[in-house]
Amino acid sequence: MICRIRPIAIDVTVDEHSLNVVLKDGGKLRVSLERLSKLWVATPEQRCDSRVSASGKGLRWDHLAEDISIGELMCDVERRHRDERLTSCIPVDFPQNPTPALLSGTQPKLAGRMIDGRFVVGLTAEQRWVRWDICEYLTQQLVAKTLKDAAKYPKNSREVTLRRMRHAIERKNWTARVETDWLMERLRALLGW
């Protein structure tokens, strides 16, 4: 994991789109300014007025009163890479957030959580990947079960057989409704029905 490395910065530059850090081991970090709110709204002159700490473990912008830890920056980059990798495994048609949490009141509010210093509403990339993995595994298991049910009740149409499978899944409460919808379409595709 990148987070366990003790990175030491030797140079920092900021262009109009990104923060660029050269590390002592020869590595380079490039982070979008959109992820760094104070730098994002700063003027180009303020962005360029930066320095690397004597230890190389931090970056400082005196006029912005902004300090950035290289270790935390590395952890954030590693977390984003992991999230991108997990997200790339999930089919684009899989539901984004099957059960958003809403709080009651005069105005509806979404419930959020603080995870690794970030405010998250809905599923994280890892949680969404786990939900997809469960649905995909269940779908794979249902192929044989569906074929067996179709053979046992040959007078039933394919639609009736699929409805029976859906009803069985819904009774178990393993998946949210939108996940069950996706699962049934995936099952239909795997069966070629």
Side-chain angles (χ1 to χ4, degrees), residues 101-111:
L102 296 174
L103 302 174
S104 63
T106 305
Q107 296 180 352
K109 300 169 259 331
L110 291 174

Side-chain angles (χ1 to χ4, degrees), residues 121-134:
V121 175
L123 299 177
T124 64
E126 186 174 358
Q127 290 168 330
R128 187 166 176 254
W129 183 89
V130 167
R131 297 300 307 163
W132 166 76
D133 191 47
I134 289 167

Side-chain angles (χ1 to χ4, degrees), residues 110-163:
L110 291 174
R113 304 166 285 165
M114 188 65 80
I115 300 174
D116 294 330
R118 295 180 303 154
F119 190 68
V120 177
V121 175
L123 299 177
T124 64
E126 186 174 358
Q127 290 168 330
R128 187 166 176 254
W129 183 89
V130 167
R131 297 300 307 163
W132 166 76
D133 191 47
I134 289 167
C135 289
E136 181 64 24
Y137 178 77
L138 184 55
T139 305
Q140 297 291 333
Q141 299 302 310
L142 285 173
V143 169
K145 177 100 172 121
T146 305
L147 291 173
K148 185 177 177 181
D149 191 75
K152 185 175 181 179
Y153 303 102
K155 291 184 181 179
N156 287 347
S157 68
R158 290 177 173 176
E159 289 305 314
V160 169
T161 302
L162 287 172
R163 273 197 304 266

Side-chain angles (χ1 to χ4, degrees), residues 25-123:
D25 67 1
K28 295 179 182 178
L29 278 175
R30 183 181 199 112
V31 180
S32 171
L33 289 183
E34 292 176 6
R35 301 197 61 80
L36 305 166
S37 58
K38 281 192 178 180
L39 293 178
W40 176 247
V41 298
T43 66
E45 295 77 25
Q46 290 172 321
R47 290 176 187 161
C48 291
D49 186 25
S50 62
R51 63 182 166 86
V52 177
S53 69
S55 66
K57 294 180 182 179
L59 306 174
R60 174 77 181 161
W61 285 262
D62 290 323
H63 293 291
L64 298 173
E66 176 71 349
D67 292 295
I68 296 177
S69 161
I70 298 297
E72 289 176 21
L73 197 60
M74 291 282 285
C75 285
D76 186 52
V77 168
E78 193 275 336
R79 189 172 29 254
R80 280 185 285 121
H81 283 302
R82 183 195 67 227
D83 290 353
E84 289 170 7
R85 189 175 58 250
L86 290 173
T87 300
S88 70
C89 296
I90 302 170
V92 294
D93 63 339
F94 189 75
Q96 286 291 327
N97 192 10
T99 54
L102 296 174
L103 302 174
S104 63
T106 305
Q107 296 180 352
K109 300 169 259 331
L110 291 174
R113 304 166 285 165
M114 188 65 80
I115 300 174
D116 294 330
R118 295 180 303 154
F119 190 68
V120 177
V121 175
L123 299 177

Side-chain angles (χ1 to χ4, degrees), residues 13-26:
T13 58
V14 184
D15 58 36
E16 62 183 89
H17 302 291
S18 60
L19 168 70
N20 306 290
V21 181
V22 178
L23 302 174
K24 186 175 182 179
D25 67 1

